[in-house]
Amino acid sequence: MAVDEKLQTMRHSCAHVMAEAVKNLFPGTKIAIGPAIENGFYYDFDFPKDKKISDADFPAIEKEMRRIISGNHDFVRKEVTKAEALELFKDEPYKVELIEDLPSDATITTYEQDGYLDLCRGPHVANTKEINAQGFKLTKIAGAYWRGDSNRETLTRIYAVAFAKPNDLKDYLAMIAEAEKRDHRKIGVEMDLFHLDAEDPGQIFWHPNGWTIYTTMQDYMRRMVRRDGYQEVNTPAIMPRTLWERSGHWGHYQKNMFITESEKRLFAIKPMNCPGALEIFKAKQRSYKDLPLRLAEFGHDVRNEPSGTLHGVMRVRGFVQDDAHILCTEEQIGPEVAKFCKLLKAVYHDFGFDELVVKFSTMPEDHVGDLETWERAEKALSDACHEAGLEYEIQPGEGAFYGPKLEFKLYDCLGREWQCGTIQVDYQLPSAERLDATYIGADNQKHHPVMLHRAILGSFERFLGILIENFAGAFPTWLAFEQAAVVPVAPEFDDYAKQVNEALIAADIRSNAYLDDSNMKSKIKQISMEHKTPYILVVGQKEKDEGTVTVRFRFSSKIPQQTFKLEDFIAYVQDKVNNHVIGI
């Protein structure tokens, strides 16, 4: 989505007002930086040692901000020399450090409102009256290392959201409240899907319920890629330093690798699968008749992500990608990308995502390869998108150094954007300078293939986290870990409940019979709240006599309970599963 520059300017101006308010209320506070960000802004502060700030102080800060805004103060821009700037901010050590990093002849700008002076490039609104006094809200406090360096001072970061209209703020806060209810970490515990262990950060312990959904997704992707002409492979989890050096990852990615040593040799646990795919390609001589060769791998990768960036199952250290690498000729790039786009759209549809945005990232300044090759690759990507019925937005200069790429972003039920799928064109990894992969062409000469790196879901871990939040745990029937629950109205019907359950399981429907001593209403409440099971089958004397089941549909007051012949209900569920129906 295009950035609203006017709104971002207002947000940045509001950050200056917050800084002024904080300094008014907490004398002696030192200021650092305060940029506008998506949906709002933040400002970093160094509070005096005797000042402990918490979100309980937010109402007072907001009140002071509104007082400042109501004063209709102009934002006054001024250009100063480096020496003048150092004098103006001599009591602000973080500003002084920023100024000292600038060239001696730099033109430095300051902005002042209501006597509050800040070092800033701007721009800002003309007057505080352009900030809606009812359109912002302080949201949270976090720690932040000065300049992102863990060896430097820890500052206090205050976040806020800000909008041009109060109703926009109200809508956003409602969305955030709904998002908190849907937090995958909370639902993951409530539904017994997984747990996280503080002793093993970034690793997921999948429980039976969560692993059922996980493997259902994985089995689905296996079927989809097999039908689309892929062959599944598997490569070692640990590979030698020499391979990573030749691929270029050792020089560019070593800090994110877990390194181990054996017999005086260094190895890395693989953070990505691409070198392994090329090693398989190189294991025998290939012909142009073998291309395109589509190699899919659900490889388990490990990356040494900073602990502060980890977030539930969304950002982890150990994960599995729905990864694949397509080795092809240059002429095959277009058809292969178009084929991939069609597969991606079909997969997203089955998971309930029909709205997506495609970002087209073009040649960056720091690129390798000649301009003519880049132009051919970019044209092939563009033509492939149109062939697949996809429009795209250009991201100039955002391509990888080795080639252009497409990024696919989908939207969940709250309108949040998630970047999941990607396809990249790579001329470098198969080259003689890297892993030297070749095939024999129609001219009987050796040629280097083009490598297309592609993923649809991204990592299974992250995509499952997205699904948990999108569906609030109420998964479509085909994904639900428990698709049906059989509840007898009284203990004397336990045998019929068992019979029904066994028939469902024999038909590959994930079902459980609830035969404990609690009453029927308690069982139904538990199943509905903890498992969010799509279908609860209530059985009693009438159902036993007629070979039927009475079905209660999940969360539905619109659909009355219905009675099915058991074989008809099995067919009903199988249709929902086989066609990946989102509703129940």
Side-chain angles (χ1 to χ4, degrees):
M1 295 182 179
V3 174
D4 186 332
E5 293 184 3
K6 183 178 179 181
L7 181 56
Q8 289 298 86
T9 297
M10 184 275 286
R11 286 169 172 159
H12 184 44
S13 303
C14 199
H16 279 225
V17 171
M18 181 177 75
E20 178 187 350
V22 167
K23 285 184 73 71
N24 288 348
L25 295 173
F26 301 92
T29 299
K30 304 302 181 184
I31 53 175
I33 59 171
I37 57 175
E38 185 179 11
N39 299 313
F41 58 88
Y42 70 77
Y43 213 112
D44 290 344
F45 301 98
D46 188 355
F47 287 92
K49 301 296 184 186
D50 60 340
K51 296 290 193 304
K52 299 295 183 183
I53 188 171
S54 71
D55 53 10
D57 296 299
F58 285 175
I61 298 172
E62 290 173 347
K63 182 179 179 181
E64 178 66 4
M65 289 173 67
R66 293 188 176 97
R67 186 195 67 77
I68 295 166
I69 291 169
S70 68
N72 295 343
H73 304 289
D74 290 335
F75 280 86
V76 180
R77 180 181 183 273
K78 185 178 180 181
E79 293 185 0
V80 297
T81 66
K82 184 173 182 178
E84 290 171 333
L86 287 170
E87 177 62 25
L88 286 170
F89 293 96
K90 62 184 179 182
D91 294 325
E92 294 290 350
Y94 302 102
K95 299 295 184 183
V96 167
E97 182 176 327
L98 295 174
I99 296 166
E100 287 177 339
D101 287 346
L102 297 173
S104 58
D105 60 347
T107 299
I108 299 172
T109 57
T110 64
Y111 280 84
E112 183 176 1
Q113 89 278 350
D114 188 31
Y116 169 78
L117 184 70
D118 208 337
L119 178 73
C120 187
R121 286 179 302 196
H124 286 278
V125 296
N127 188 283
T128 56
K129 66 183 177 183
E130 296 180 46
I131 301 171
N132 193 305
Q134 304 304 319
F136 67 86
K137 182 175 179 59
L138 308 192
T139 55
K140 65 178 179 179
I141 292 176
Y145 295 122
W146 170 233
R147 308 191 88 167
D149 185 344
S150 59
N151 296 315
R152 299 294 304 273
E153 299 87 340
T154 299
L155 305 177
T156 300
R157 178 170 294 177
I158 300 179
Y159 285 94
V161 293
F163 294 88
K165 300 176 182 177
N167 281 345
D168 291 342
L169 173 64
K170 181 180 178 181
D171 292 343
Y172 178 79
L173 293 175
M175 186 274 287
I176 292 299
E178 182 60 29
E180 289 176 355
K181 294 178 187 176
R182 294 167 176 263
D183 189 312
H184 72 279
R185 296 165 297 180
K186 172 175 171 286
I187 292 175
V189 172
E190 292 172 350
M191 297 183 70
D192 195 23
L193 303 180
F194 60 83
H195 82 268
L196 309 168
D197 189 336
E199 293 296 314
D200 194 7
Q203 305 290 345
I204 310 303
F205 292 78
W206 292 102
H207 297 194
N209 294 345
W211 191 243
T212 297
I213 302 169
Y214 192 107
T215 55
T216 298
M217 291 168 53
Q218 202 168 61
D219 291 344
Y220 164 83
M221 289 305 303
R222 278 199 165 93
R223 290 194 302 272
M224 294 297 283
V225 298
R226 186 169 57 245
R227 293 171 185 172
D228 211 46
Y230 290 80
Q231 301 173 66
E232 187 175 342
V233 298
N234 188 263
T235 59
I238 299 176
M239 291 188 277
R241 169 180 177 169
T242 50
L243 177 64
W244 297 111
E245 285 178 331
R246 284 186 286 125
S247 72
H249 291 99
W250 192 266
H252 290 87
Y253 209 77
Q254 183 184 349
K255 67 178 182 179
N256 292 103
M257 292 182 175
F258 284 96
I259 310 298
T260 187
E261 183 177 353
S262 176
E263 297 178 343
K264 298 182 180 180
R265 294 179 65 203
L266 287 180
F267 296 79
I269 304 174
K270 65 176 179 179
M272 63 272 297
N273 306 307
C274 25
L278 270 180
E279 290 299 291
I280 289 175
F281 181 87
K282 291 166 52 183
K284 66 178 183 178
Q285 185 62 65
R286 307 284 179 174
S287 162
Y288 71 96
K289 295 180 180 179
D290 298 322
L291 306 184
L293 181 64
R294 308 180 190 96
L295 301 177
E297 179 176 10
F298 301 109
H300 189 274
D301 298 326
V302 180
R303 296 179 184 175
N304 190 12
E305 303 284 1
S307 59
T309 67
L310 302 176
H311 179 68
V313 303
M314 299 288 204
R315 184 75 178 266
V316 294
R317 286 178 173 166
F319 58 93
V320 175
Q321 293 179 301
D322 68 315
D323 208 0
H325 298 90
I326 302 168
L327 286 305
C328 64
T329 67
E330 193 169 308
E331 294 72 26
Q332 291 169 335
I333 293 174
E336 285 303 303
V337 172
K339 182 179 177 66
F340 167 73
C341 289
K342 291 175 183 176
L343 173 63
L344 175 139
K345 286 175 64 178
V347 169
Y348 284 177
H349 171 77
D350 285 347
F351 283 101
F353 302 110
D354 289 312
E355 182 185 358
L356 61 97
V357 169
V358 184
K359 304 284 189 177
F360 189 122
S361 299
T362 60
M363 184 178 72
E365 288 188 16
D366 181 23
H367 67 275
V368 294
D370 59 82
L371 182 60
E372 181 183 351
T373 302
W374 271 88
E375 288 175 345
R376 290 199 306 269
E378 289 180 0
K379 185 178 187 304
L381 279 178
S382 176
D383 291 346
C385 272
H386 292 312
E387 184 179 335
L390 293 171
E391 297 299 322
Y392 56 77
E393 298 175 9
I394 294 285
Q395 295 187 135
E398 293 295 317
F401 70 90
Y402 50 76
K405 64 179 177 178
L406 300 178
E407 295 177 355
F408 300 86
K409 300 187 178 184
L410 51 83
Y411 294 91
D412 67 11
C413 65
L414 299 181
R416 296 178 298 180
E417 184 179 270
W418 301 95
Q419 196 272 305
C420 294
T422 183
I423 185 164
Q424 303 176 1
V425 181
D426 184 359
Y427 286 86
Q428 301 309 309
L429 203 58
S431 70
E433 294 75 22
R434 293 297 181 189
L435 295 186
D436 196 21
T438 61
Y439 66 93
I440 303 300
D443 59 0
N444 208 34
Q445 300 298 311
K446 285 187 176 182
H447 301 270
H448 297 288
V450 178
M451 190 177 203
L452 305 181
H453 308 247
R454 110 296 173 274
I456 298 175
L457 305 184
S459 81
F460 284 102
E461 286 74 10
R462 180 171 177 268
F463 198 80
L464 182 45
I466 294 170
L467 292 177
I468 292 170
E469 297 196 359
N470 184 63
F471 294 115
F475 292 97
T477 302
W478 75 274
L479 276 173
F481 65 82
E482 182 179 79
Q483 296 166 324
V486 187
V487 179
V489 299
E492 55 263 35
F493 303 109
D494 283 0
D495 287 343
Y496 182 61
K498 290 179 185 178
Q499 179 184 333
V500 168
N501 189 55
E502 289 168 0
L504 294 173
I505 292 172
D508 288 327
I509 294 171
R510 295 188 286 274
S511 176
N512 286 298
Y514 287 77
L515 309 176
D516 58 74
D517 293 335
S518 57
N519 63 50
M520 182 184 72
K521 287 186 177 179
S522 297
K523 293 175 184 177
I524 290 174
K525 182 178 180 181
Q526 175 196 355
I527 295 163
S528 299
M529 299 302 293
E530 295 181 10
H531 292 180
K532 298 179 172 59
T533 307
Y535 312 106
I536 299 177
L537 282 55
V538 179
V539 295
Q541 187 65 56
K542 183 174 183 293
E543 288 79 14
K544 180 180 178 180
D545 292 344
E546 298 176 356
T548 61
V549 291
T550 296
V551 181
R552 296 188 178 205
F553 296 85
R554 177 179 62 200
F555 303 154
S556 182
S557 57
K558 297 179 182 178
I559 306 176
Q561 64 182 29
Q562 296 181 24
T563 299
F564 290 80
K565 283 285 189 183
L566 179 55
E567 58 270 25
D568 291 340
F569 176 72
I570 289 173
Y572 176 88
V573 175
Q574 289 175 333
D575 177 68
K576 299 289 186 183
V577 171
N578 294 337
N579 291 295
H580 306 103
V581 176
I582 297 301
I584 62 170

